Amino acid sequence: MTLEAAGLTVAEESGYRALVALGGGSAEDVAARSDLGPPEARRILAALERQGLATAVPDGRFAATPPDVAILPGLRRRAAAIDQARAAVTDLMETYRGNVRRRRADQLIEVITGAEALQRCLRQIQDDARHELLWFCKAQYVAVPSGSNRAEYDALARGVRYRVVYERAFFDDPGAVDNVADGIRAGETARTVPELPLRLAVADRSVALCPLVPGGPAGAGEEITAALVRSSSLLDALVALAERYWEIAVPLHVTASGSLGSTAGDAAELTAADRHLLSLLVAGIADKAIASQMGVSRRTVQRRIQHLMELAGAATRMQLAWQAARRDWI
């Protein structure tokens, strides 16, 4: 029996099936066709008539209402109600999880202990990522040696964006330069800074993983311990930190010869006019005023700023100002 979801009892379904198979009939006909006795068949036929599944015809006989008319509309209404209930449950679960997170710290931060556990966790958050990974790579790996993170290539292949910041000492590790170049060729967007404050991986801005003690080759024998941080103010702070370092980092690219290089230029390429323009820009002078002081058009100022941004490997004027100060261009 399969019509219980439509609201029929086992006996009602048996009687309805018999009536449909007969093409209509009396209580005796239904009883003979099913496992119902005549008195029960009469009671069932009356119940089916009340539910609109049967119609009384002359001579004490009944005709079955077509199943698509009698049953399908009710099933559709039940299906819609179930979908609405499912959506309501989903909303309630989000509210429940949010309340639990606020009350229980263990729902916000999970401690991962040991290299194997950390490797599994890194693999999992990359496999689950749908949009983006933000990554800080410091020198001397903790759990995943340079070039061994195959999960990155899998994620890149399915369209996940990787933004990776490497600290300068990272490239002292054997094979690191070639491995980063391979990652860039596969689709990774890479930048570098002199030093990073911590190791960090952020997936889809919804979960972050960062070691709590050094561990690994540089950990003086300490067991690796990391924190898996979920939606919280702490996660927001880690995302902001990652974005800040990304903003000030120097972009990396693979040269035509296949080697790794930076888009940041050298101070020797700057003219006195460039340095003057940069000093005015850093001081917060508007383009129109800069053009007036330098005796050139506003368009020339904007074109020159764009050239300096390319020279510094900067995506914004803020990055240009930071890179100019860092490189003693002004």
Side-chain angles (χ1 to χ4, degrees):
M1 298 299 178
T2 58
L3 296 180
E4 188 176 353
L8 274 68
T9 66
V10 173
E12 288 169 347
E13 181 175 349
S14 178
Y16 182 70
R17 285 180 177 275
L19 196 61
V20 170
L22 288 166
S26 65
E28 288 73 17
D29 296 330
V30 169
R33 183 81 184 192
S34 66
D35 55 358
L36 302 172
E40 188 178 12
R42 281 190 288 274
R43 182 179 61 80
I44 292 300
L45 286 171
L48 292 175
E49 184 180 20
R50 288 193 298 272
Q51 296 176 56
L53 276 75
T55 304
V57 295
D59 301 327
R61 296 166 60 83
F62 288 83
T65 305
D68 60 337
V69 175
I71 298 175
L72 284 183
L75 288 176
R76 292 192 184 100
R77 286 193 296 272
R78 285 183 176 86
I82 289 171
D83 288 341
Q84 291 173 355
R86 185 181 293 112
V89 169
T90 299
D91 290 341
L92 285 170
M93 281 304 301
E94 286 302 314
T95 302
Y96 173 80
R97 291 191 186 103
N99 288 333
V100 168
R101 290 189 190 109
R102 283 191 290 271
R103 293 194 305 269
R104 293 178 54 188
D106 61 344
Q107 295 293 314
L108 295 174
I109 301 175
E110 178 182 352
V111 177
I112 310 297
T113 304
E116 290 187 7
L118 180 55
Q119 290 166 0
R120 286 195 300 270
C121 189
L122 279 168
R123 176 80 202 199
Q124 189 64 55
I125 66 172
Q126 291 178 90
D127 288 346
D128 291 343
R130 293 294 172 265
H131 306 292
E132 182 183 65
L133 259 294
L134 279 165
W135 205 296
F136 280 4
C137 286
K138 288 178 65 67
Q140 297 186 314
Y141 73 91
V142 166
V144 182
S146 176
S148 67
N149 185 21
R150 306 312 304 175
E152 175 179 355
Y153 294 95
D154 295 340
L156 287 168
R158 65 174 187 271
V160 177
R161 183 187 182 197
Y162 269 68
R163 290 193 287 152
V164 186
V165 181
Y166 298 92
E167 72 175 8
R168 190 175 298 158
F170 177 88
F171 299 103
D172 296 335
D173 293 349
V177 172
D178 291 338
N179 292 330
V180 173
D182 289 342
I184 293 173
R185 279 190 285 263
E188 173 188 304
T189 306
R191 295 187 177 186
T192 183
V193 293
E195 188 175 3
L196 287 169
L198 77 168
R199 306 175 197 277
L200 177 66
V202 181
D204 292 338
R205 297 174 180 262
S206 63
V207 63
L209 183 66
C210 57
L212 297 175
V213 295
E222 291 186 63
E223 185 174 40
I224 298 170
T225 304
L228 186 67
V229 183
R230 297 182 178 88
S231 182
S232 60
S233 296
L234 177 57
L235 176 64
D236 294 341
L238 291 172
V239 171
L241 178 69
E243 290 290 1
R244 175 58 179 160
Y245 269 82
W246 179 260
E247 183 178 313
I248 64 176
V250 176
L252 297 171
H253 70 284
V254 178
T255 66
S257 63
S259 60
L260 188 65
S262 166
T263 56
D266 187 86
E269 301 180 48
L270 299 179
T271 65
D274 290 333
R275 295 178 185 275
H276 184 200
L277 189 156
L278 281 170
S279 66
L280 295 172
L281 182 68
V282 170
I285 308 300
D287 290 0
K288 183 177 180 181
I290 293 175
S292 176
Q293 287 200 34
M294 298 185 68
V296 296
S297 70
R298 184 176 179 181
R299 181 170 296 180
T300 297
V301 168
Q302 293 171 341
R303 186 168 55 247
R304 196 62 196 165
I305 290 174
Q306 184 61 41
H307 170 72
L308 290 169
M309 287 171 62
E310 293 172 0
L311 193 64
T316 66
R317 291 190 177 197
M318 182 181 294
Q319 289 182 23
L320 172 60
W322 191 89
Q323 296 290 352
R326 183 175 149 218
R327 289 176 168 75
D328 295 325
W329 286 1
I330 51 178

